[in-house]
Amino acid sequence: MSRKPSVFITGASGEIGHALIARLAADDPERPIVTLDLNPLPPESAAKVRQAITGSILDTALLDGILAQYEVDRVYHLAALLSTRSEFTPALAHKVNVEGALNVLEFAQKQGESHGRPVLFFYPSSIAAFGLPNREVKARAGKVKEDDFNVPTTIYGANKLYCEHLGRYYARHYKQLAAETMSGKVDFRCIRFPGLISAETVPSGGTSDYAPEMIHAAASGQRYECFVRPDTQIPFMAMPDAVDAIVRLMTAPRERLTRTVYNIGAFAPSAAEIEAVVRSAFPHADIRTKVDEKRQGIVDSWPADVDDSAARADWGHAPSYDFATAFGEYLIPSIRKRYANR
Ligand code: AKB
């Protein structure tokens, strides 16, 4: 229990959660962090939070219990089924990704009504919210702006795009016919992430995960069959830059923000360029290309790169890792060390 202004993180045991907890705990050690995930929080993260709850965002009674125990004014809603897993279970993906998000938005709304302050709500959307019709259009489109090609081809992308609108509704139009104004309690802020690559965790079912999967396979001496063509290109980002972007957006003055949903980018290598860097670090890597046409079709619908000028102008997005330093200084040394003693 704490009536101090607290932080609530869902999906905290995931790739973003691991890095975000470390950053938030370092930035503001006095602000209690409460986490919720289906999986137990790893010990190194659990040591940094007030309470790590194992449970589901679909359990509204559990969310009401947290509402009674904590005064939350920062929500980071990270829980989701990623794109590949979602394609095998679209109904479950909808339940988790949409109904779950609705539950957490309702939680934030109730928190705001209870303590009277806006609840800053971070929502991670994705480049999967885009849907480019074919490779020619993708090549011509280059860096895609937020409001272009919003026709996703995956249930995950459709879920993410809808939740962007859901968040805007809660922030600006919630119960607009009620006698008194109910909107404005949730300060919804959203980033459409590119493919994220972490040196600290293993990939968890994303269609963009061919990049981290290739590194982990090479470092652990496993064969890797890359499921996309060598010319395949999408934007990527190192996890520390993703967390830095979250913190910059969530600490930006509200009046600086001209959008609810922001693109961010860092580097956009082809699969062949990724393979070349991995081979130079692991000369004995056994990497082959075995295109999975269906998963290739998903990646081909995602943009080659994104225009993140709005994020740079509004809240100072400035990734510190480019392709060379992300792989050479962050990913490969850490992942090599992970398998060195095995
Ligand atoms: C996925 O590949 O599903 C995610 C994403 C691009 O949002 N990493």
Side-chain angles (χ1 to χ4, degrees):
M1 162 90 70
S2 170
R3 302 316 303 177
K4 289 175 68 174
S6 303
V7 172
F8 180 45
I9 305 175
T10 72
S13 298
E15 291 199 80
I16 300 176
H18 181 273
L20 181 63
I21 288 169
R23 173 69 186 269
L24 295 181
D27 285 359
D28 188 351
E30 297 308 309
R31 186 185 286 265
I33 298 174
V34 186
T35 65
L36 175 62
D37 197 294
L38 284 176
N39 301 310
L41 208 56
E44 65 274 16
S45 297
K48 297 169 183 163
V49 304
R50 172 65 61 88
Q51 185 178 6
I53 300 166
T54 301
S56 170
I57 55 176
L58 299 177
D59 184 344
T60 52
L62 179 61
L63 291 172
D64 286 344
I66 298 168
L67 180 67
Q69 282 191 292
Y70 293 95
E71 186 173 302
V72 171
D73 62 4
R74 298 278 190 288
V75 175
Y76 299 82
H77 174 44
L78 309 180
L81 283 182
L82 295 184
S83 57
T84 295
R85 285 184 61 196
S86 293
E87 275 313 297
F88 290 106
T89 55
L92 176 61
H94 177 89
K95 188 173 283 294
V96 172
N97 294 342
V98 176
E99 291 179 27
L102 183 71
N103 290 346
V104 182
L105 281 163
E106 275 294 311
F107 167 87
Q109 176 70 22
K110 290 173 186 172
Q111 282 280 1
E113 290 171 7
S114 169
H115 57 58
R117 300 187 308 279
V119 176
L120 271 69
F121 191 109
F122 176 74
Y123 179 74
S125 186
S126 159
I127 53 172
F130 294 109
L132 287 97
N134 57 59
R135 291 165 63 186
E136 293 69 33
V137 171
K138 173 171 176 171
R140 278 200 310 273
K143 288 178 180 267
V144 171
K145 285 187 177 298
E146 287 88 352
D147 298 332
D148 294 338
F149 301 104
N150 292 171
V151 276
T153 64
T154 62
I155 184 68
Y156 171 77
N159 295 162
K160 287 296 183 179
L161 189 61
Y162 174 68
C163 288
E164 292 176 8
H165 293 290
L166 199 56
R168 188 180 322 103
Y169 167 77
Y170 269 78
R172 301 183 190 174
H173 312 292
Y174 184 74
K175 290 188 178 177
Q176 59 197 285
L177 299 183
E180 60 180 87
T181 300
M182 304 287 282
S183 62
K185 303 296 184 194
V186 175
D187 180 349
F188 181 82
R189 304 182 182 198
C190 172
I191 288 174
R192 276 196 197 141
F193 282 121
L196 298 182
I197 317 179
S198 170
E200 311 301 323
T201 54
V202 295
S204 53
T207 315
S208 67
D209 283 343
Y210 57 88
E213 287 169 2
M214 195 185 293
I215 307 170
H216 281 272
S220 59
Q222 306 297 315
R223 169 181 297 182
Y224 185 67
E225 292 183 336
C226 184
F227 57 83
V228 295
R229 296 183 313 270
D231 68 294
T232 302
Q233 183 185 10
I234 56 171
F236 286 95
M237 180 175 289
M239 187 60 77
D241 283 335
V243 169
D244 186 65
I246 293 171
V247 171
R248 286 175 185 261
L249 175 58
M250 289 289 272
T251 52
R254 176 76 250 174
E255 60 272 12
R256 288 292 309 272
L257 306 183
T258 60
R259 306 185 56 85
T260 304
V261 178
Y262 287 91
N263 284 343
I264 59 170
F267 50 89
S270 67
E273 289 170 319
I274 294 169
E275 179 177 341
V277 166
V278 173
R279 285 188 182 281
S280 67
F282 304 98
H284 303 298
D286 182 359
I287 302 171
R288 312 190 182 192
T289 297
K290 185 178 180 185
V291 175
D292 176 332
E293 294 299 340
K294 294 177 180 176
R295 296 182 84 187
Q296 178 74 62
I298 290 175
V299 180
D300 283 343
S301 74
W302 295 351
D305 204 350
V306 290
D307 178 324
D308 60 8
S309 52
R312 292 171 188 265
D314 288 6
W315 43 272
H317 170 57
S320 54
Y321 288 102
D322 61 19
F323 177 42
T325 55
F327 278 69
E329 297 175 15
Y330 168 63
L331 292 165
I332 288 170
S334 297
I335 296 172
R336 188 195 301 275
K337 193 184 305 180
R338 183 190 190 95
Y339 297 102
N341 304 320
R342 296 193 180 185

